[in-house]
Amino acid sequence: MDVTAIIDSLNDAQRQAVSAPSRSMLVLAGAGSGKTRVLVHRIAWLIKIERVSPHNILAVTFTNKAAKEMRGRVEDLLNISARSMWIGTFHGLAHRLLRQHSEEAKLPNTFQVIDSDDQLRLIKRLMKAMNIDDTRWPPKQMVWFINAQKDEGIRASHIQETGDLYQQKQLEIYRAYEDLCKRSGLVDFAELLLLAFETLRDNAELLAFYRNRFQHVHVDEFQDTNTIQYAWLRLLTDGKDNLFVVGDDDQSIYGWRGAKIENMFNFQKQYPNHLLIRLEQNYRSTGNILKASNALIACNEGRMGKELHTDDGDGDLISLYSAFNEQDEAYFVVERIRKWVAEGNSRADAAILYRSNAQSRLFEEKLMATGTPYRVYGGLRFFDRMEIKNALAYLHLTAHKGNDSAFERIINTPTRGIGTKTIDEIRQLAREQQITLWQAMISLMKAGHFTPRAANALKGFVQIINGLAEQSEGAELYQQVKNAIEKSSLIEFYKKEKGDKGEARVENLEELVNAARQFDYEESNEEDQTELDIFLAHAALEAGDAQGDAFEDCVQLMTLHSAKGLEFPLVFMVGLEEGLFPSQQSVDDLARLEEERRLCYVGMTRAMKHLYMTYAESRRLYGKENYPRPSRFLKEIPVEQLQEIRLRASVSKPVTPVKSSKSTMGTSGRYQLGQRVNHEKFGEGVVLQVDGDGAQERVQVNFANAGMKWLMLSYAKLEVL
DNA sequence: TTGTTCCAGCTTTTT
DNA sequence: GCTGGAACAA
């Protein structure tokens, strides 16, 4: 293969990044500037032109999807199998490292990965056992605290006691949780990263091995790395000048979960020999969308600096719609989508982006009412569903009787008459003797401790698990899964659940057998791991997609966060109101406000051709009527890039800084300019403008107490005075 | 063990 | 004002 195939399709900046002589590099890649492309082509370049063995390449991403895509694209481009190349998520790679070196990590080689849900349950149980008041120390906050510490590389033993009672209890919980996990061989997500870091740090030989192996280290979405992830990268690359990172400080939107945008600046200091390359040519959006986005993000301070441009035309102006209320907003958006579809476009090309999940409901209702298929992103993913986790818990417990969190989950699911009292007794013994719940249960049964009823129920449970263990001996993975679902009678249990909820659960369980059948455990080269173990770890680390049927042509609904990395020809950003976006919790803090602004930037740069931004003048929130101001972000967009949408007025006039006094007469003629009116919420006011007709007729009223408002006559109950 | 009632909480999410 | 979870009663 020659050079052309790898760099021909690239622009100058991309080409420079791809073909630079080996050294550390920071590629500042704007939205839609082809960042994955650069990463993929860089790796291809190393392999084909620099003759680097795939074996010596490491590439890290945040999501499994990104990792899969990258591997696939490298393989396609080179037409080779890149098996020996380490491409994966931080968590996936850390997991792999710990499996291979469980001894050095001081982990039992049967350790299990637990997800955040298991983690919370574990903490709750722990706190109950410790008799800690969960109103003063909410378990959720404790989880958050523990994970935040781990993300910073801080162990319980590192924390100084301040004498503060709250802190002391928190610390106690952290300590107890560390103990419990250690004892039961459980590893949470944050622990994967921290332990992988510590294991390398503390084993000179191991570290030397990997530093030597990974001659080229690549990181995607570098702005999203947290402290421990960056520390891990530094361990591997410090002094070697071989760290290639791609990121965009303007798209850092995960500060609240530990991402350190500072890592980008630290990188520049700590790899002084690095090459900085900016990718500023955008291949996604129109000129107007880019101009607006550039202007908005320019309001942030301390940026690395970047301005997107396109070779294509300016395109449409950004449409701004001021809705009377949230109902009107949803109605407007859905109508525009219907129009778009009627013009022959596909629904899947239209996206509704919102700040918070709760906002989706109204849009869903309106879409449903008009019979428009839609898809909401971000619900529970396949392996996160209750029925799936229950079924997996049977498998977990069968394979590892010491898995207490699996034990707790299914000891009485489906209900088999084992009550709280029985379980509490088991828990108590387990705690006293520092043994697993399973062992405690067996030992209490042997001692004849239970009432005949409870003893019988427990016996049944033990039989199920032991029976499964027997059946599983040498059985195919899918057969084991099938056995577990059958023996546990989970299907019968969920069939009883009323509504179609139960039906969906049964379907999911059946789907789980399919998932197991199709499961491709190619990487089962780790000796002492069974197929089942690999499958279970896969389920924890990769929760799968939220919805199976992605193929139908559906309108896309999602939060701004989950829209990152995606693009759509038609985008609606809704709810641009102070208090909602930017969120109320962020307005008093400059750093958080800037993150909101970046989120807005991310949203806008999702749009390829058409961008609508909407806000409501009145919105019901938490049961109260609110009259929010339009989002400050709207004011940061140059008016030259905006056009205000007036329903049915059929003239879309540019926004002018001074409100035009031009007015048209509504067809009803009931409202003359200057007419005094009364509104049940806003009080008295004077009509200044009339606009549109029929159901769309609106009036602008200047209220004595509430200020200027546009009101939809079909909604607003106006009284002529 | 199930159904009811009460009460807090209410951004964003991947692994 | 709604929802989900936990506490409570039958």
Side-chain angles (χ1 to χ4, degrees), chain A residues 578 582-593 632:
Chain A
E578 286 292 305
S583 148
Q584 192 56 49
Q585 287 102 309
S586 302
V587 290
D588 301 322
D589 178 336
L590 182 71
R592 296 177 66 174
L593 184 67
R632 68 190 71 190

Side-chain angles (χ1 to χ4, degrees), chain A residues 162-180:
Chain A
T162 58
D164 173 62
L165 177 66
Y166 186 81
Q167 192 243 16
Q168 194 195 319
K169 266 275 179 308
Q170 225 174 15
L171 196 51
E172 242 172 74
I173 296 167
Y174 187 7
R175 241 184 252 128
Y177 174 74
E178 269 185 339
D179 275 359
L180 177 65

Side-chain angles (χ1 to χ4, degrees), chain A residues 160-203:
Chain A
Q160 291 273 311
E161 292 215 23
T162 58
D164 173 62
L165 177 66
Y166 186 81
Q167 192 243 16
Q168 194 195 319
K169 266 275 179 308
Q170 225 174 15
L171 196 51
E172 242 172 74
I173 296 167
Y174 187 7
R175 241 184 252 128
Y177 174 74
E178 269 185 339
D179 275 359
L180 177 65
C181 287
K182 197 144 214 189
R183 220 170 336 121
S184 19
L186 299 176
V187 175
D188 62 48
F189 289 136
E191 183 74 20
L192 280 172
L193 300 177
L194 177 53
L195 199 55
F197 166 77
E198 290 172 340
T199 304
L200 280 188
R201 183 197 59 195
D202 300 337
N203 287 276

Side-chain angles (χ1 to χ4, degrees), chain A residues 23 62 81 96 146 375 522 525 535 558 622 628 644:
Chain A
R23 68 196 272 197
F62 275 87
S81 153
R96 186 167 173 181
I146 290 171
R375 179 179 178 205
E522 47 188 270
N525 42 12
F535 181 67
M558 67 190 81
Y622 307 139
E644 201 163 345

Side-chain angles (χ1 to χ4, degrees), chain A residues 275-451:
Chain A
L275 182 65
L276 173 68
I277 291 171
R278 285 188 165 76
L279 303 183
E280 297 177 299
Q281 176 160 5
N282 175 288
Y283 296 96
R284 177 185 295 153
S285 311
T286 64
N288 277 321
I289 292 171
L290 294 180
K291 281 178 201 162
S293 310
N294 283 331
L296 174 96
I297 201 64
C299 298
N300 272 2
E301 282 170 24
R303 298 171 57 222
M304 302 193 74
K306 182 165 35 58
E307 191 148 316
L308 296 176
H309 58 85
T310 175
D311 282 352
D312 294 339
D314 280 346
D316 290 354
L317 294 177
I318 293 169
S319 304
L320 182 64
Y321 180 66
S322 158
F324 166 62
N325 60 17
E326 75 278 6
Q327 297 282 340
D328 179 36
E329 181 185 49
Y331 179 78
F332 169 79
V333 170
V334 171
E335 277 313 305
R336 287 284 149 153
I337 291 176
R338 278 158 63 83
K339 210 173 126 205
W340 159 265
V341 174
E343 286 163 1
N345 297 294
S346 88
R347 283 184 286 267
D349 284 344
I352 305 173
L353 310 182
Y354 35 81
R355 176 68 239 264
S356 75
N357 284 307
Q359 287 169 264
S360 78
R361 220 193 67 218
L362 269 170
F363 293 93
E364 289 187 64
E365 280 170 12
K366 294 273 187 282
L367 285 164
M368 197 116 60
T370 57
T372 315
Y374 65 91
R375 179 179 178 205
V376 185
Y377 281 75
L380 271 190
R381 274 112 27 96
F382 185 71
F383 285 110
D384 285 335
R385 306 201 152 137
M386 181 172 62
E387 62 277 15
I388 300 298
K389 300 199 74 168
N390 287 337
L392 292 178
Y394 274 91
L395 291 161
H396 262 122
L397 196 64
T398 304
H400 306 283
K401 302 249 165 50
N403 189 327
D404 284 358
S405 75
F407 184 96
E408 288 261 357
R409 188 176 260 284
I410 55 170
I411 174 75
N412 198 32
T413 311
T415 42
R416 52 173 69 86
I418 300 171
T420 352
K421 189 160 161 276
T422 309
I423 300 175
D424 267 343
E425 286 163 354
I426 297 170
R427 286 193 192 119
Q428 200 192 335
L429 185 77
R431 198 160 54 244
E432 281 166 11
Q433 305 200 354
Q434 300 274 300
I435 53 178
T436 65
L437 292 171
W438 179 268
Q439 288 168 328
M441 170 183 72
I442 298 289
S443 131
L444 284 173
M445 282 168 80
K446 276 196 180 136
H449 174 274
F450 298 110
T451 59

